[in-house]
Structure formats: structure tokens, C-alpha cells
Amino acid sequence: MMTGLKRGTVKLIPHQEEWDQNAKEMIGILFELLNDAAIDIQHVGSTAIQSIHAKPILDIAVGVGELNDILPYIELLKQHGIIYRGEDVKGQMLFVMGDFQNDTRTHHIHVVKWREMEWDHYISFRDYLNTYPEKAMIYDECKKKLAAQFPDDRKSYTEGKQGLIECLLREADRWKSGAPVS
């Protein structure tokens, strides 16, 4: 299976059907481990968008009532290879999976407050780009150009996408509220 990428590097591949299956399996495992702490768990990020290239790392969003709800589960998650990395972005807790001996990551698990801005952004972005492939193609072209420019600099790659992501998120928010897509 084509999942996993060396930390800090950028390599994009076409969408793989197995990503959806792998995400479903991971969501099932997370629901089992987190019991009532997880309100909702969704496959998000580029691997959840059918028509674009993505880094072969699955992004999973876990929606919780309060971020602290996840704290009692950190050790249990660790026993299952899901390692806590802290609050990578304000209002989000990051967990990672992968082959740590080879410094590769296969999954990024983002714990956020359910139905708050971060959660809504993950879901809206995915749904908007899956609904409007022409918008997904604009994002895809941007990603491919940046990946070619920064194959060993994930930070610059990520920063390079930020303006377009913010623009697409504004469009997705308008679309979600019922406004026509331009």
C-alpha cells in the first residue's frame, strides 16, 4: 500500500482507492479506542479529495466536546502506535502514526473541538473540493508546483499553499451557507 512519507519531505501521488478503505479502518479503530470521547471522526485533507494528488499521509479529524477529553486516552493510543505530538496548531492536538525507525509518517490525527471552526474547515474544504472538481484542480496545480519547488522543505510547501487554502475556505463557507459558487 502506498501510504507513508519521510517526515519533512513532500511527494505527491494520484489518489489511491485504498486510502478511503484505510481511513475507514482507522476511524473504526479510533472510535473503539476513544469510546464516548469522540463525537465524530472523519477522513479529511487531500487524501479525502478524489480528484487530486496528495502526500500519502492520511489526515483524520477527531471531533471532541473539549480538547481535554482526549487526555485520558494518550497512553492507550500510544500502546496502539498513535503518538501524541502536542498542540501543533492552536486549538488542535496532533497525533501521528508511522514507521518511527525510518522517520516516516502514515497518519496525522487532528483532535479538534467538534463543530467549532477547525472542525468545520476540515469538513467544508473536503466537501467543497469533492463537489467542485474544477476548484480541486486549481488546488492540485498549486500543490504540484510547490511540491516540485520544495521536495525537501515541507514547511515552505505548506506555507505556499496557505493563501489559496484560505481563499478556497472562504468560498467553501459561502457555498455551505447556500450562496452560489462563482
Side-chain angles (χ1 to χ4, degrees):
M1 176 163 72
M2 187 56 209
T3 305
L5 190 62
K6 188 168 178 54
R7 203 162 56 95
T9 64
V10 180
K11 180 183 178 201
L12 303 178
I13 64 172
H15 187 270
Q16 308 288 305
E17 288 303 315
E18 71 231 25
W19 289 343
D20 301 321
Q21 188 54 43
N22 182 301
K24 279 187 189 108
E25 289 166 14
M26 192 66 227
I27 288 167
I29 291 166
L30 287 167
F31 267 126
E32 207 171 287
L33 293 174
L34 298 174
N35 295 316
D36 296 337
I39 299 169
D40 194 2
I41 305 175
Q42 299 268 333
H43 180 200
V44 296
S46 291
T47 57
I49 301 166
Q50 304 297 318
S51 59
I52 68 172
H53 291 74
K55 294 185 309 292
I57 300 172
L58 299 182
D59 285 292
I60 307 286
V62 177
V64 295
E66 296 296 329
L67 287 182
N68 288 345
D69 294 352
I70 206 78
L71 296 178
Y73 296 93
I74 289 177
E75 191 52 42
L76 176 64
L77 290 167
K78 184 178 179 182
Q79 291 166 16
H80 288 84
I82 304 167
I83 309 301
Y84 179 54
R85 284 290 186 243
E87 225 178 291
D88 65 322
V89 177
K90 188 167 171 36
Q92 295 193 38
M93 296 169 86
L94 176 67
F95 290 80
V96 296
M97 292 180 72
D99 177 350
F100 297 103
Q101 301 295 97
N102 291 311
D103 204 22
T104 33
R105 301 292 180 266
T106 58
H107 296 73
H108 287 158
I109 299 164
H110 310 272
V111 177
V112 297
K113 286 178 77 172
W114 186 61
R115 292 214 169 142
E116 297 274 326
M117 185 184 74
E118 292 82 8
W119 173 266
D120 289 344
H121 279 172
Y122 280 127
I123 305 305
S124 299
F125 192 76
R126 175 199 66 198
D127 292 352
Y128 182 63
L129 294 186
N130 274 327
T131 303
Y132 294 97
E134 67 279 10
K135 298 291 183 178
M137 285 301 104
I138 294 167
Y139 183 52
D140 194 47
E141 288 305 315
C142 172
K143 286 171 47 117
K144 289 191 292 194
K145 183 177 156 208
L146 289 165
Q149 198 175 347
F150 301 111
D152 297 310
D153 184 357
R154 176 120 21 118
K155 190 174 188 290
S156 295
Y157 166 80
T158 301
E159 287 169 358
K161 301 185 301 182
Q162 210 47 49
L164 178 57
I165 288 171
E166 288 167 13
C167 174
L168 290 168
L169 274 171
R170 283 190 299 276
E171 290 179 15
D173 287 343
R174 285 195 303 274
W175 166 69
K176 204 170 161 192
S177 71
V181 174
S182 53

